[in-house]
């Protein structure tokens, strides 16, 4: 009789290769200054709209922030400070809610100072997008920080202070360049690399000169023009004029500076809108001050090393996004 051999099939397991994370520079190659990094988190319970505002602020601060920073009720300010040191985080943006209005605190780590702003009004990024006929938010819009560098910057944050009302208008815009003196049809043709439809035209010149599409760049009178020093795209070439157009992408806030403290959410009150400034100090430490805001944080011993490891991973994920 024929003998059958039970041969075991060898299973090939493909090795898992971890993708190497590209480390971002810590120093700006142009100014030579240290690149600021931030944590955006909340203290106390926030309603749904303020939670969404927190996520909008995290996207605004990309790529040098933790987009998926994990927060727990027992975490206090020292827990975030302990994680911030090894990761090079330089600023905290802290959202909280009082009985009268939302509050935004901007703190410099590790020892302050801290600026406290009252949020009089705010609009979310989704609200700004829904109010526009053609919202603009490219996928690579948040790869670079909102800095004024025309060659790589695609967005910008503008602040306007009104001396009469003592309010600060906070706006977040995307930047778009359009060549001056180029018809819309020619610009679309160069950008999209598509063959135009000439079936209903008698001559190629009709494609360029046909009325109804405008001969100049859109809204040149409303936009500022700049002369480019280098090639930025196929239509925005060096030594040519381009119109700079801003389109709001949100979030939008109206802020009022109410207090400046010398320390990290504590210390000497250097300025107070309500006339209590001077050399006075807030009683207690950081934990006591957080309790004054209605926050019930646990002690520092309650936080474990796993929380710090999770936040470090989230910081790296935020930088990749």
């Amino acid at each position: 009789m024929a003998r059958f051999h039970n041969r075991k099939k060898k299973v090939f397991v493909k090795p898992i290769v971890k993708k190497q994370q590209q480390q971002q520079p810590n120093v700006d190659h142009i100014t030579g200054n240290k690149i600021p990094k931030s944590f955006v988190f909340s203290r106390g319970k926030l309603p749904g709209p303020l939670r969404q505002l927190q996520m909008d602020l995290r996207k605004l601060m990309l790529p040098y922030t933790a987009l998926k920073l994990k927060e727990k009720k027992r975490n206090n300010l020292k827990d975030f400070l302990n994680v911030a040191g090894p990761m090079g985080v330089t600023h905290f943006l802290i959202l909280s809610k009082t009985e009268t209005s939302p509050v935004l605190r901007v703190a410099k780590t590790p020892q302050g100072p801290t600026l406290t702003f009252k949020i009089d009004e705010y609009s979310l990024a989704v609200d700004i997008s829904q109010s526009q006929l053609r919202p603009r938010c490219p996928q690579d819009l948040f790869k670079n920080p909102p800095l004024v560098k025309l060659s790589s910057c695609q967005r910008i944050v503008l602040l306007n202070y009104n001396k009469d009302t003592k309010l600060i208008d906070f706006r977040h815009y995307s930047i778009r360049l359009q060549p001056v003196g180029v018809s819309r049809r020619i610009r679309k043709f160069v950008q999209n690399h598509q063959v135009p439809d000439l079936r209903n035209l008698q001559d190629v010149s009709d494609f360029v000169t046909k009325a109804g599409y405008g001969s100049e760049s859109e809204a040149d009178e409303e936009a500022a023009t700049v002369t480019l020093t280098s090639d930025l795209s196929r239509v925005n070439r060096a030594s040519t004029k381009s119109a700079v157009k801003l389109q709001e992408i949100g979030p939008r806030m109206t802020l009022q500076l109410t207090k400046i403290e010398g320390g990290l959410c504590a210390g000497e009150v250097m300025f107070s809108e309500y006339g209590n400034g001077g050399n006075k100090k807030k009683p207690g430490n950081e934990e006591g001050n957080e309790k004054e805001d209605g926050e019930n944080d646990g002690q520092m011993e309650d936080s474990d090393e796993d929380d710090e490891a999770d936040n470090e991973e989230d910081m790296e994920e935020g930088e990749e996004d």
Side-chain angles (χ1 to χ4, degrees), residues 30-48:
I30 296 178
T31 61
N33 299 329
K34 184 179 180 181
I35 296 177
K37 298 181 180 180
S38 63
F39 275 167
V40 183
F41 56 94
S42 61
R43 311 305 295 142
K45 187 176 181 180
L46 295 182

Side-chain angles (χ1 to χ4, degrees), residues 19 21-22 24 55 58-69 138-145 155 313-321:
K19 184 179 179 181
Q21 298 178 354
Q22 184 179 1
Q24 294 183 339
M55 292 303 301
R58 288 183 180 180
K59 290 186 64 176
L60 184 146
M61 300 301 294
L62 285 175
Y64 301 108
T65 192
L67 185 62
K68 300 179 181 179
L69 180 67
Q139 295 181 354
D140 59 344
L141 187 63
F142 297 94
K143 287 185 177 181
N144 296 319
R155 56 195 180 98
E313 293 178 358
D314 294 330
M315 183 66 178
E316 296 174 356
E317 292 178 2
E319 292 180 352
E320 287 183 355
D321 295 337

